[in-house]
Amino acid sequence: MRSVGALLCLEYAATVYAASGEASRPRGVGPECTLKPNANNVEAHIRVLACSRAPFSPLLTNSPPVAKFYKDASTFSCISNPSIILPLSRLNDDYCDCPDGSDEPGTSACSHLSSLSPHTSADHSRTGSNISLALPGFYCKNKGHIPTYVPFTNVNDGICDYTLCCDGSEEWDHVGGVKCEDRCQQIGKEFRKLDEARQKSLGSAGRKRKELVLEAGRLRREVEDRLQSLGAEIEGSEMKVKQLEAELVEVERREKGKVGRGPVQKVGKMGVLVGLAKQRSEELRETLARVREERDASRGRVQELEGVLMTFKEEYNPNFNDEGVKRAVRAWEEYAARDKGPEPDAAHDRDLDAITQSDKDNGLDWAEYESEDGEESEAVVLHSFETFLPLSLRTWLDTNLRTLRTTLIDSGILADTSSTSSSSTSESKAVQAAHSRLDAARQDLANHHKSLASHQEDLASNMGPEDIFRALKGQCIATDSGEYTYEFCFLDKTTQKPKKGGGHTNMGNFVRMETVLVDEDVDEKGRGLGKGDRIAMRFEGGQHCWNGPSRSTLVVLGCAEVGEVWRIMEEEKCVYRMEVGTPAVCDLAGVGGGGGGGRGKEGREGRDEL
Amino acid sequence: MLQLNASSSRWSAFLLLCLVLCSLLTPVVTVKHENFKTCDQSGFCKRNRAYADTALSTSSWSSPYTLEASSVRLDKGLLTGIVTKKAGDENLRLPLTVSFYESGTARVTIDEEKRRKGEIELRHNSKARKERYNEAEQWAIVGGTVLSKGAATTQGAEKGTTRVAYGPASAFQAVIKHSPFGVDFKRNGETQIKLNGEGLLNVEHWRPKIDKPVPEKKEGEEEKREGEDVTEAETSGVTVDDEGTWWEESFGGNTDSKPRGPEAVALDISFPGYQHVYGLAEHTGPLSLKETRGGDGKYTEPYRMYNSDVFEYEMDSPMTLYGSIPFMQAQKKNSTVGVLWLNAAETWVDITRSSSSANPLSFGIGGTTTTNTHWISESGLLDIFVMLGPKPQDVIGAYSELTGYTQLPQQFAIAYHQCRWNYVTDEDVKDVDRKFDKNKIPYDVIWLDIEYTEGKKYFTWDPMTFADPLGMQKQLDEHERKLVAIIDPHIKNEGNYYVVDELKSKDLAVHNKDDNIYEGWCWPGSSYWIDCFNPAARTWWQFLFRYDRFAGSATNTFIWNDMNEPSVFNGPETTMPKDNLHHARWEHRDLHNLNGLTLINATYTALLARSPAEASHPIRPFVLTRSFFAGSQRLGAVWTGDNQAAWPHLEASIPMLLSMGISGFPFAGADVGGFFGNPSKELLTRWYQAGAFYPFFRGHAHIDTRRREPYLAGEPYTGIITQALRLRYALLPAWYTAFHEAHVRGEPIVRPNWYVHPEDEKGFGLDDQFYVGGTGLLAKPVVREGQMESQEVYLADGERYFGYFDFEGYEGPGMVKVSAGLEEIPLLMRGGHVIPRRDRPRRSSGLMRWDPFTLVVVLGKAGDAEGTLYLDDGESFDYEEGAFIHRKFSYGAATSVLISEDLAATGTGGSKKAKEYLKSMEKVRVEKVIVVNAPAAWNGREEVEVSEEGAGKSGAARKVVMEWFAGEGGKAAWAVVRDPGVAIGRGWRVAFA
C-alpha cells in the first residue's frame, strides 16, 4: 500500500509543477534549509528551523507571492493580518500566533484553524469568526521527486506520510522516535517510470479515442446516408402504395362482376354454413392456442412466484418478529401443503396439440365440402344448364346473368362471394394477390417511416462530445465484485449477474447523459476518476427491489486506455454507482483534460489542506 | 385461466400482506408486544403480584416467615439462622445468612434446605440440578466480600429482634425482626431500607405435584394455552397459589416443562423517606423510575429484567431489553442508599410510592414519601446486598467494589467508531477509510457486521467480498486505526465447518431439556450455542481467536459480541427455552441474565491469548456486548441495541446512558443516527452532537438504510458533524480521565444532576443533561426537531457557569437559556474546574499521542479551580505497574498560582515501565493555558512566571507571555498564557501575580 500511496503523491506533486508552470522535473528549491531543532535550544519542545535566509522556506519555489512574507530579516507580519508583527523567534516555534497560521508553516500548531474544528472565544481573540489558514500546508521539498504540500494535521504526528511527503520531512521532530527516511530517490524513480508508462498509456488512449471518434463519425455518416436513401425509398414506396391501391380497386371491380366459375364459389345455405363453420372452427382453434399460451405463461409465473416464496420462507429473518411476514410465511406454508390440483398432464397436452393442428391435419378438409357444395349450388346448376345451350345464347345468357347477379348482389339478395367483406378464403386469387401486394407495400412504407424516425432520433440524441459513444453503443464491459459480475453496456443498460448462477438483474436502462462533479482517488496506474466534472450515464427503471426502489445506476466515466469497470458501489439500497474507465473520455491530445484519470489540474487540489 | 382465477383472491391477499409488510418496515414501527410476556402471562410474576394484592389488602396480614431466635449466630461478621415458612401444617426451613462486609455493605441470603440437600424429585426425568442456583456470585461478584469482624450485636435490642452494628464507625445497624422475619437497615439511627416491611417475602418451596383427578385436562389445556390466557379456570378462585402455572407454562407455542415446579423468590424492599429510585438498567423510561401499579402517567406493568432481543423496542416502557442490572439506588436530600438483588433469573420489580401526611408530633417539615419496591425472581437464591451511602459515590463505590470496576479501555475505544451493517467488501472499508482522511474527519475504528463472514460462519471471511482482510487491516493500521469484527455465540450447524465440528465433538454447546445438544435458529439458520458457563468451552473459545486460527485477524482486530441474550429466532420470547441445560446441569432459567456476561468474559480472555508473543506484553481487549448483567462492566462496552432513526430515540438515549452510568456500567452508547430507518440530516447532525458525549461513541446503520458516513451529509451538516467529532477528540484527555475515575472508583462517566448535586432535590428527576466526569463540563444536547434557538439548562447551584465556546456567563440556581443553533452544542463549564484538552486535529486518537495540551482553567465564584488528568499509553496494562501520568491541577485565588501536582500513589512510579513511560512523555508539554473568568486585575499584565521541577537550570523560573482579554456583554474575561512549555508529566507552577 505504501508504494501505491507514494505514487499517488508523486502524481499530485506533478500537478503542483504544472500549476507553477514549470517543466515536469523538479528543480532547485531555493535557499537550503535544515529541518532540525536548533541545537542550542534549551527547551526541547521549542523548535526553530534554522535556515540561511528565512526561518523556513516553504514557499520560495512555488508561491513567490507568499514567499515574500518570509523574507524580512527582523520581523514577521501575519500574512492575512499584517498588523500583527512577530519577532522571528516566534516563527515555527510550535505555537500558533497568527490568526491565519502563517507563523507556523513548519509545524502543526495552527492545524486547528479550520472551520471543521470547534473554536472558542480564545481562538477568536484576534480573528473574529472567520478562521482559515493562509498556507496550503506544510511544504515538502521532496528532492529527487516533486514538491508538495502536506496537511498541517499530518505534521509530527508520528506517521511517515510518504504518500505526500517522500522525503519524510514532515516528521522532522521524530515524535515517539519515529524516523522517516528520505525515499524520494526511489519513489521519484518509480514515479517517473510509472509516469512514463502512464504517458504512453495516455498517448495510446488518445489514439484509441481518435479511432473511436473516426468510427463514430463513420457510423454517423452511415446513419445520415441511410436517412437520405430512406427519403428516396419512402417516396418510391408511397408511389407504389398508390399504384397498388388503384390496382386493387380495379381488380375488385372486375372480380365482383365475375360469375364464379372458380372452385371457391359458394352460395346457398350449405355454402354459408360451411363457410361459417370453417370460420368458427378457426376462431376456436386460434382462441384455444392463445388460451394455452396464456396458461403456459401463467403456469410459469406461478412457478416463479412459488420459487420466490420458497426463498422468502427460507431467507426471511424471524428475528424481526414481524407479524406481517410471519403471517405471509404461514399462509404460504398452508398454500404449499394444500392439494394443488391436477399436475400438467402430457396426454391432455397432446390432445390439445392435436386439436390445435389445422383441420386438414385432423382429417377435415373444408375444401372437399366446399367443392361438394359447389355442385349443389344454384350457380353450378345454372352453369350445367348453360352447357346445353348454343354458344351465342350462352354468351347472351352469361352477360345477362352477370348483370342480374350484380343487381341481385347489389340489392342484397345474393351473397357477395367475391367482395372483400367476406372472409379472405372466399376472395378470388387475384384480389388476394392484389391485397397482399398492397399490404406489403404499406408495411414497407411504415417500416421506412419508423426507420426514418429512429435514425433521426438517433442523430439528434446526445452521444457525448464528438458523438463518441456512437462508436461504443451497446458495447459492454464487465467486472467481478463479490459474488456478482457487473456489466455496463454503453447507452444501453447495466446488469448484475450472480456468479453462482441464477437470473440476471437489470440495474437500469439508459436514460440520459449527465455531468457529475467527482473527487476520487487515482491509483498509481492512473485508474480513478480524479477530481472535476466527469461525463456520466444515468440508467434507471431496472428491476424493482424488495422493499426498495427500482434499481438504478450512475456510471461515471474516466479516462483509461482500455475499457474497464474500476469500481461498483451500492450507494444506498438498489442505487448503484459504477466508475468506468474508457478511452472515449480522454482528452484528444491524450493528456489530462476533462477526461479524468486525475491528470488534470483539477485532480490535485483536493489534497491540500486549505 | 379459470384455475388461476379461483386462487387469485389468495394471491391478492398475499400481495396485500406484502404491502402491509412494506409499510411495517418503515421507521414508524413499534415493538410486537405479543412476543413478550406481561406479568400476567408470567406465572410466578402473576402469583406474586396476587400475593402482594392479598397481603396489602388484608389488614390482618401476617407474613408466614419467622426467624428461629435460637438458631441465630453471629460470628466474625457472619450471622446465620433458620427462617421457617409456615405452609399449611409444614414448617419449611430456609437457611438465612446475613453477611457484614468491611466495606459497610450488608448481604442477606435465603436458601431452601430441601432443595439444597437435594431432597426433592424432579419431574419429566429431568437431569437438572436440584439446588437453587447459587453461582451468580461467581460471575457477578469479584470483591468487597471481606467480612467485618467489627460487626457486633448490640445490647438492649427489643424483644424478638437482633441488632447488629456494623460499617464505618459502626454507624450502620441491621435490626433483624424475628417474627415475622424482616430487617430494617439504619444509618445513624434512622431507617433507610426495610426488608419485608410489607410482608411480601415469598419463597416458593418445593412440593410434589399432586395430580388432580381431572380427566383429559392436559389435552384441552394445551390448546387453551396456545391462546393468550395461560391461567387455569380454577373453580375456587380464592386460593393465593394459582397452581395453573406451577408445573408447566406455555407462551407463543413454546412449553416450559418446569421440572422443579414453582420456585420463585420475592421480597418487598422499602425506602422510607425516599421519593426517587434509579437503576434497574436497561429500560427506555426516565432515569427516575416510575410507579408500576397503574395510575396517571404510571406504568401498569412491573419493570422486567429478562435479557431479550427486543425488535424495535418502544419508548417509555418497563419492558425488558437486552441487558439487566438488578441494582437500585434511592435518593433523598443528602442521602443515597442502594440495593443489589443478585439473581440472574427472570425478574420483575413493582414500584409504588406512599406518602404520609405531616405528623404534627414529628419534628419534620410536613409529609414524607416512601418508595416501596417488590422484587420477584423466578428461581435461585434470595440474595441482596444493602449499601447505606450516604453519598452517591459511596453507593456506586460499594457496588463497584462488589461487581468490579469498568475496564480501563484503550484510548481508541473512547474515540469515534464508524459502523454499518455492512461494509460490503474489504475495498469498501478501505474506501471509507480514505474518505474520512480526505474529508479531514477523525475516526479510530471501523466495524464489520455479520456479512463479512462466509455464510454467517464466524471465524471465517467471505472469500468473495473479503479476499484480503489483512491488507485491509494494514491500511487501517497505517493511521493507527482498528477493526472490530462481529463474532456471535450461535455456531452454524453445517458440514465442513471446523468450529461447529469441534463444538459438537467436544460437547461444549448448551443442551436442551433432554440433555442433548440444543438446536435453534439464528442468523446462519440452524445453529448451536456455545455454553460459556463451561470452563472447557471458554478454553476452546480462547483457542479460536488465536491469530493462527482466526486467519485474517490482526493485532488491530477487536471483537463485537452481539445476540448474546442469547437471541434465538425461534425460541420463546426470541431466546432459549428456560428448561435448557447449561454446564453443571443448571437450568437456563436460573442463569439467563448472566448468559451475555459469560460470552464477553470468554472473548475478553481470548483476546489476551491471541499469540504467545503478545501474552508477555498484552494489550487491553476491546469487546462490545449487547447483553449484560451486573459485572459486565469489567469486560467491555455496551450499546443500547437496535434503536431507530427517530427523534424520540435520540431523546431516550440520554436517560438510558445516564442509567447505565449510575448502574456501574458507564461505558455505554447508543447507535448514533439510529439503527433502523434513515435519519434526516438535522437528526443525524444533532445525534452526532449528542453522540460526542456518549461514553461509547459509534455511528451505526441497518443494512437497508442509505449510507450516512459523516462526509456524505453535505454542507452545512458535514462541517457541523466534523466539529462535533473534533470536539470529542480535543476533549479525549478529559474523557480518558473520566474513564479512569470509573475504573478506580466506579464513578459514572456521564453523571446525572442528582449524582453531582445530591443536596438539590429539584434536580433529582432531571435526566436530559449531565456532567462529563469530574470536569465540570455540563452538556444538554438538543434532542428535539426544529429546536434551533436555545436550550434551557438547569443549574443546580449558585456557582458560575460559562459557555464552553463563547465564555458567556450564567448563574444559578435555576434554568438558564443557552444558545442552540444547529451548529451549537449547549455545553457549559462549571466554575472551579480545570479541563485538559488537546486541540490539534489528527486523523486518529493514536496520532495525538505526542501532541501538547491546552489547559482550560475555569475560575468559579471563589476564584479557585481544580482538575485532574490521567494519561497512559492508552493500550497496554503497563499502567498497572505505574506507567501513567496522573496530575492534579489547582489554581488558588489566594496565591494566584496554578500548580501541577502528582496524584500517583507513592511508590507506583518506581518501576522500570513507569520510568520508561515518563521518559517517553518528557517532551509532551502544555502549550497553552486559558483562564476563563480571569480577574480584571490581570488587565495590562503581560507575563506570568513559570517554574518547573527537574534538574538544573530548567527548574529556574522564567517569564512567559500572558494576554488578558475583556469579555464583552455577558461574556467572561479570559487570559491566555502563551506556551508555558512545561512538561505534562512534571510538577510545575505558573504564577499569575
Side-chain angles (χ1 to χ4, degrees), chain A residues 374-385:
Chain A
E375 273 169 27
E376 284 167 28
S377 73
E378 312 96 308
V380 171
V381 175
L382 276 175
H383 282 299
S384 36
F385 165 73

Side-chain angles (χ1 to χ4, degrees), chain B residues 279-284 304-310 319-326 564-565 592-594 596-597 625-630 632 638-641 656 660 665:
Chain B
L280 303 185
E282 126 190 83
H283 292 96
T284 54
R304 187 183 189 209
M305 287 179 283
Y306 188 62
N307 299 350
S308 305
D309 182 356
V310 182
M319 260 181 92
T320 191
L321 281 177
Y322 309 92
S324 31
I325 300 180
N564 51 341
E565 294 78 18
H592 172 86
N593 285 345
L594 272 168
L597 183 152
T625 183
R626 190 169 71 181
S627 182
F628 56 88
F629 190 69
S632 295
V638 66
W639 93 109
T640 60
M656 286 177 83
M660 291 303 295
F665 196 168

Side-chain angles (χ1 to χ4, degrees), chain A residues 492-504:
Chain A
D492 183 15
K493 64 179 181 209
T494 50
T495 317
Q496 182 191 50
K497 304 172 178 178
K499 284 187 197 161
K500 292 171 187 161
H504 296 180

